[in-house]
Amino acid sequence: MSLISVNNLTFGYDGSYNNIFEDVSFNIDTDWKLGLIGRNGKGKLHS
C-alpha cells in the first residue's frame, strides 16, 4: 500500500483576499478514489 501525504497546504489565487485552503494536512491511501466537484469556471485545478 502506498500513501499520498499533504502537509500544511495553503492555497489562494493572486489578488484574492482570502485563501482557498489554509494550513490543511491530510493523507490519502492509494486504494481511495478522490474527485474535485464544483461548478464550471470556479477554479478547480486542471492539467
Side-chain angles (χ1 to χ4, degrees), residues 11-30:
F11 176 80
Y13 292 103
D14 288 338
S16 177
Y17 182 74
N18 293 321
N19 289 327
I20 305 298
F21 303 112
E22 192 165 327
D23 199 28
V24 174
S25 298
F26 57 91
N27 295 314
I28 301 173
D29 182 317
T30 55

Side-chain angles (χ1 to χ4, degrees), residues 27-44:
N27 295 314
I28 301 173
D29 182 317
T30 55
D31 289 337
W32 287 29
K33 299 209 182 332
L34 176 67
L36 296 173
I37 300 171
R39 297 174 74 102
N40 287 344
K42 296 299 179 186
K44 296 179 298 297

